[in-house]
Amino acid sequence: MAVPSVESLRVSEIKDPGVLFERYNTDEIRQIERKVRGEIEQKKEELRQMVGERYRDLIDAADTIREMRQCSESVVQSIQDMNLYGQKLKQGKNNAQTVSKQESQWQWQEKFYTMASQIKLLLEIPERIWSAMEASQYLQATQLYLLCCHLHSLLQLESAIGQHYSPVLARFPILVRQVATAGHFRSAILLDSKSLLRGRAVSDQAIAEALVSTMLLEDSSPRQALADFLLARKASIHQLLNQPQHGAGIKAQVCSLVELLVTTLFQAYAVFYLPPDSSPKLGEGALSCGMLFSTLESVTSTGKGRRVLQEEMSTGSVFKYLPSSISEFQPALRTLAQPIQREQLRDTLQQWIDMCKEDICRGVSSLLVYVKSLKALAAIRDAVWELLSTDSISQHWNTICQHLLERPLPVWDDFLQQLFLQRLQAITKEETEAISAVSTQLLTSALKDLEEQTIQSPPPSSGATYNRGAQYEADVASFLWSEAPGDLLADSAWVSVAQREHQHQQCSGLAMKTQALTPCVQSFCSSLDSKLRARLEDLQHYLPSQDKGSDTNSITVSNSGPAKGPTTSAFDRFKDAAAVEETLRMDCLACISHILSFIRSELAVGSPDPAPGAARLSAVLFVARLCQSMGELCPNLRQCILGKEGKSEPVAKGTPRQGRKLGKAKAALEVSPAQAKWASLKEELFACSMEAYRIWSAALSKVLADKFATELHAESAGAILKTATNWEELEIQEEAESGSSVTSKIRLPVQPSWFVQSLLFQLCLEVNRVGGHALPRPTLQELLKACLDQALHHYQALVQHVHNKDCALPMTQNRALQLLFDLRYLSSTLGTRLEEGKSSRSHQDPRVQQVCDWLESFIDPFDLDVFTPPLNVYLNRLSQRTSVLLGLLAGTEKQFVPRSSSVGSQEPYNILPLASSQIRFGLLPLSMSNLRKAKSATRGADTTRPLAPRTSTPADDSFRPGNLFKQLANQEEETAAPSLFKLSWLSSMAK
C-alpha cells in the first residue's frame, strides 16, 4: 500500500500517532506537527469570531427566557389564587346547585371537545390534501376538500356579516389563514386532475378517479367528463406533434401518437362503456369497463361506499367526538349521473377521431419532412407495426372498436398509410430529380470536353492537358484498337463463355469495344446506374424481401370475444408495394425523359446547321451511342421500371433464330403495363439515338458529296485527265462480211474515277472511325442511301449542265464510258442491301437508269453492244476486289459471291486469297481452297496496269485509295505463300 505524502495527509486521518513514527522521518513528523498546530489556531480563531458574532443574540435569548419564566410564575400563582377562591365559593353553596352545575359543566365540556375535534380536523385537512396530491390521489384530495367545505359550513366560518368575523374565528384567529388556504385547493385539484388525463402511461383506475374528482368539484355529468377526457387527449396529441425533435426522435413521436390514440380508445372503453344487460358475460381475459360509474358509486353511495374518515374513526382518537354528519360524510352530486348512451358514446368518439385525424395527418406530414430516406421511413412503419402487433393491443382491439364505434378502425390504413406513401413519393421524386440534374450536368460537362478537345486536339506527347476519353469520342477506332488491362476478365482463361453470366460479359472491356462503347459512355452509364442502384437499395427496405412475402412478415393474433374467429394480422405493411413500385417507375421514366429532352434540345441546337463542325459531330455521336447503350449499361434502370418482373423475367439464350421465335411467342402473350413502359422507353431511347445518327449521317454525306461534286463538275481538260484511272486493252474477234475473223483491240475502264474512289474510301474511313461495326443497320443503310442520292443529284445536275450546253468541253465517248462505269459501280456499292427474300434490283433508284441511258446516248450503239459484256465482267471483278477494302460499305452479303458466276470467262477473278482453314475474322470472305500457286500464271494477266504519267509525285500517288489497293494486289502476287499476319490488318476494315 502506498504511503501518502506529508502534503496530502489530512489531520482528520491521524488516528494513531505511533503509526506516524513508523511511516515518516523526523523532519516530516515536525512538518506534520506544524500543520496540526496551524489548524488548531485556525479553529480557535473561527470559534472566537463565531462567539463574537452570536453574543448579542445569546444575550437577547437569555433575557427573553427570563421574562417567560417570570410570566409563567405569575400565571401559575394567579391560577392557584383562583383555585383557592373557587373552593371557598363552593363551600358556601348547597348540594343541589352543585349537582346542576356539574351537569351543565359536563355539557359545556362535551361541546367544547366537539368543537375542538372539528377545529383539529380542520387544521389537519390541508396537510392531508397536499399529501394526497403529491401521491396523485386526486379523488382522496377531493373528498378531503369537500369535507373541509362541510366543516366550514358547520362552523359558520363563511357566514361573516359585514366586517365582523364569525364567533369561532373571533375566538380562534388561527382559522383565518386556514380558511384562505382552503379556497385554493379546488383550482389546484382540478388543474392536476386534468393534467393527469393527458398522460399515456396512466392506469385506467387513475383516469376514472381523476374524472370523478372533476365531476365532484364541478358538479358535472358523465358526458361532460367524457368531453374533458377527450379534450385532454387532443391537447396531448398537439403537445406530441409540437415537440422539437428530428431524426431518430420522429419514430418515437409517431409511435407515441399511435400509442396515445389506441390507449385513448382502450381507456374510453374501460371508463365510460357500460355493456347492455342482455350481453353475455365476458371471460376472464376480457377487459374491465364502466370504471367511472363504479368509482362514482363507491364514493357517493350512502352505506355502501367508503367513508372519508373511516380510518380515523376506527383508531378511537380525539375524532370520536366528531358529530355523525362529519364522521359519516360522503360527497354527493347535485344531479343524478346518468350512463352515457351507446349512440352518444359512438358519435362523440367518432367526432373526436375525425378531429384528431386532421391534426395527426397535418402534424405527421410536417414530421415526415425531416425523414430523408426510405430506410428511415420503413423503420418508422415497422415500429408502428410492432407496436400494434403486441398482444396487449391486438388481442382486444377489434372487440373494443366494435363495441365503441360499431365498426373496425384500422389505424395504419386510416391515419398513416397515405402520409407515408406521399412522403415516399416526395423522397423518390426529389432523388430522381437530383439524378436527372446531375446527369444533365455530366452530359453538359462531357459535351463541353468534347468541344474543347476537338478544337484543341493536342497530340498525346504534348505537355498540354490531354483528355483521352474525349479523344476516344472523336476517334472511336483509336479506342477499339488500343489495349487496356481490363479488356479481358481475370477468369477468362478457365471460365468458358457459356458458363459466364450475361452481366459479367458486359463488364469486360473487350465486350465494350465490340459494341463501340467509349469510356465517356461507360462512365456516364456507370454513374447513372450507381445512383439508380442506390435508389433501389433504399427502396428495398420498404418492400417485402424476395424470399418472404408480406404474409410471413406479419404475426397472427386471435380476436377476443366469446367465440374465437380466424386469425388476423395487425396490418399489411406491404399493401402498397405496387404503388411504391409504380412511384419509382414513373419517377425513373420522368428522370430519363428529362435527360432525353435535354439531349433533344442539344441536338436541336445544331440541327439547323447544314454543315456542323467536327466538335458538333463528336457530340452527336456521343449522344447517339449513349442513347443506344443506356438500356444495356444501366441494368438498374430496367429493374426500376420493371420491378419484380425484372427479377423474374428469364434471359433468353440460344441462336438468333431461336431468339426471334421466342420473341414472337412472347409478343403473342399479354404484356404487362410495366413491360409496356419499358418497351416504350427503349423505343424512345432508340428513336433519340437514330435521330442523332441521322444528323451525323446527313452531315457526313453532305461533306463527302460536296467534294464529289467539285471533281465531277470539272470543266478543264487537265482536271478531267487528273481524275482518270486505269483502262485495259482487250482483244476481241469479230466475223467480217466475207466470213473471215477479224481481231481488234478495245480499251475499257477497269477502275472508277479518283473522286469516286475517294468518296468511297473516305466514307469507309469515317464509318470505321466511329465504330461502324456497332452502327445500327438502318443508320448505315440511310448513310449509303444519302450518299447515293447526293451522287445521283450531282449526276443529274451534270446532265442538265450538258443539256443546256453550258459545258466548256463536249461529252466524249470515253468520258461517257468512264462516267457510266463510275455510276454503275456506285450504284452496286451504295445500293440497297440484300434483304430476306428480296432482290436488290427491285429497289434500284429509277434515276440511275435515267442517267445511264443519258450516258449511253454518247456511245456508239455498235460499240456499246461490244463494250457491255466485258464492262459487266470488269464491274463484277472490281466489286469483288474492293469488297474487303470497303468493309461495311459492301456488307457481308456482298462478300460471299459465287466464284464461278461466269464459267466461260477467260479471265479469273482476282479476289484476295485467304486461308483454307476458317479463321477468327467472320466478316472476311473465306475461300474454300488456296488457289494461289495453281493460278499464279493466270492471275498475272489480271494485274492492274500502271497509270499514265501525271504531274503528281509518286509519294502523293501512294496515298490514293486506288494505288493502295494496287499495292496490296502487287504484294499479294509477289508473295509465294499466304500470310495471315500481313492480311490481319485488313480485318479492321471489315469491322
Side-chain angles (χ1 to χ4, degrees), residues 185-203:
F185 283 132
R186 183 177 182 274
S187 60
I189 295 174
L190 283 175
L191 183 63
D192 291 349
S193 297
K194 292 183 178 180
S195 64
L196 179 69
L197 299 178
R198 298 183 180 183
R200 300 191 310 273
V202 182
S203 63

Side-chain angles (χ1 to χ4, degrees), residues 440-598:
T440 51
Q441 290 178 2
L442 288 177
L443 276 176
T444 305
S445 177
L447 296 177
K448 184 178 179 181
D449 292 342
L450 281 176
E451 182 178 358
E452 293 177 354
Q453 181 69 22
T454 309
I455 293 174
Q456 298 174 3
S457 56
S461 59
S462 65
T465 303
Y466 184 66
N467 190 349
R468 187 171 295 274
Q471 182 219 6
Y472 286 156
E473 289 296 333
D475 187 9
V476 181
S478 61
F479 166 68
L480 297 179
W481 295 103
S482 63
E483 295 185 359
D487 286 347
L488 294 178
L489 298 177
D491 57 351
S492 59
W494 53 85
V495 178
S496 63
V497 178
Q499 298 175 353
R500 199 181 304 277
E501 297 181 0
H502 180 70
Q503 294 294 334
H504 291 286
Q505 295 181 15
Q506 294 291 337
C507 293
S508 64
L510 193 58
M512 298 294 103
K513 290 180 179 179
T514 56
Q515 303 177 32
L517 300 179
T518 55
C520 291
V521 175
Q522 298 178 36
S523 175
F524 178 86
C525 292
S526 175
S527 175
L528 178 61
D529 190 63
S530 62
K531 292 180 177 61
L532 293 176
R533 182 173 63 252
R535 287 289 85 228
L536 272 177
E537 291 175 355
D538 193 18
L539 187 70
Q540 290 305 317
H541 295 93
Y542 209 85
L543 296 176
S545 57
Q546 300 179 11
D547 53 346
K548 295 182 180 180
S550 59
D551 296 335
T552 58
N553 289 338
S554 59
I555 61 174
T556 57
V557 295
S558 60
N559 296 327
S560 60
K564 294 184 179 180
T567 59
T568 57
S569 60
F571 64 87
D572 188 2
R573 290 181 289 175
F574 311 111
K575 181 180 180 180
D576 52 358
V580 171
E581 290 184 352
E582 183 65 21
T583 299
L584 181 63
R585 181 181 302 116
M586 298 307 297
D587 289 338
C588 287
L589 289 173
C591 174
I592 302 302
S593 298
H594 181 266
I595 296 174
L596 288 178
S597 62
F598 172 78

Side-chain angles (χ1 to χ4, degrees), residues 220-500:
S220 58
S221 62
R223 292 185 60 183
Q224 182 63 35
L226 175 61
D228 293 341
F229 172 69
L230 295 180
L231 287 176
R233 289 307 173 91
K234 190 173 184 295
S236 181
I237 289 175
H238 279 285
Q239 182 180 2
L240 279 175
L241 291 174
N242 295 328
Q243 288 181 357
Q245 296 182 5
H246 308 304
I250 296 178
K251 180 169 68 175
Q253 283 182 267
V254 175
C255 291
S256 299
L257 282 172
V258 175
E259 183 182 4
L260 182 61
L261 180 65
V262 173
T263 305
T264 300
L265 291 181
F266 270 93
Q267 291 179 345
Y269 175 83
V271 175
F272 298 99
Y273 180 77
L274 285 177
D277 297 336
S278 60
S279 62
K281 294 184 178 180
L282 302 178
E284 296 181 356
L287 297 176
S288 58
C289 59
M291 287 187 177
L292 177 69
F293 304 99
S294 60
T295 304
L296 189 62
E297 183 180 2
S298 65
V299 171
T300 59
S301 178
T302 304
K304 298 181 181 179
R306 180 182 177 87
R307 298 187 300 273
V308 179
L309 299 177
Q310 185 173 355
E311 295 181 359
E312 288 78 0
M313 298 300 297
S314 62
T315 57
S317 60
V318 69
F319 296 112
K320 65 184 179 180
Y321 296 102
L322 292 173
S324 60
S325 62
I326 297 177
S327 61
E328 301 293 334
F329 174 78
Q330 283 183 328
L333 288 174
R334 295 180 184 178
T335 57
L336 183 62
Q338 295 290 342
I340 304 176
Q341 298 295 329
R342 295 186 62 182
E343 293 77 8
Q344 296 176 353
L345 181 62
R346 178 196 62 198
D347 297 340
T348 305
L349 289 176
Q350 186 61 50
Q351 184 179 4
W352 177 82
I353 289 173
D354 295 338
M355 290 189 301
C356 291
K357 184 176 181 179
E358 297 178 0
D359 298 337
I360 290 175
C361 292
R362 185 168 52 252
V364 173
S365 297
S366 61
L367 288 176
L368 294 180
V369 172
Y370 299 99
V371 179
K372 300 298 183 181
S373 65
L374 302 184
K375 181 179 180 181
L377 201 65
I380 299 175
R381 179 201 60 186
D382 295 341
V384 174
W385 179 80
E386 291 176 0
L387 174 64
L388 296 178
S389 298
T390 54
D391 295 339
S392 59
I393 295 177
S394 57
Q395 287 182 356
H396 308 283
W397 178 248
N398 293 333
T399 303
I400 287 178
C401 292
Q402 190 64 34
H403 287 167
L404 293 179
L405 305 174
E406 298 180 359
R407 68 175 183 88
L409 180 62
V411 178
W412 172 258
D413 296 340
D414 288 359
F415 288 83
L416 300 177
Q417 180 183 6
Q418 193 63 28
L419 301 179
F420 276 65
L421 184 59
Q422 292 175 359
R423 182 54 190 163
L424 181 142
Q425 293 172 350
I427 292 175
T428 307
K429 184 177 181 181
E430 292 174 2
E431 294 295 334
T432 50
E433 287 179 352
I435 291 174
S436 63
V438 173
S439 300
T440 51
Q441 290 178 2
L442 288 177
L443 276 176
T444 305
S445 177
L447 296 177
K448 184 178 179 181
D449 292 342
L450 281 176
E451 182 178 358
E452 293 177 354
Q453 181 69 22
T454 309
I455 293 174
Q456 298 174 3
S457 56
S461 59
S462 65
T465 303
Y466 184 66
N467 190 349
R468 187 171 295 274
Q471 182 219 6
Y472 286 156
E473 289 296 333
D475 187 9
V476 181
S478 61
F479 166 68
L480 297 179
W481 295 103
S482 63
E483 295 185 359
D487 286 347
L488 294 178
L489 298 177
D491 57 351
S492 59
W494 53 85
V495 178
S496 63
V497 178
Q499 298 175 353
R500 199 181 304 277

Side-chain angles (χ1 to χ4, degrees), residues 870-894:
L871 195 65
N872 292 334
V873 173
Y874 292 155
L875 187 61
N876 292 333
R877 184 177 65 181
L878 180 64
S879 298
Q880 295 177 14
R881 282 181 173 180
T882 57
S883 61
V884 176
L885 183 64
L886 296 180
L888 291 172
L889 302 185
T892 57
E893 70 281 351
K894 291 188 178 182

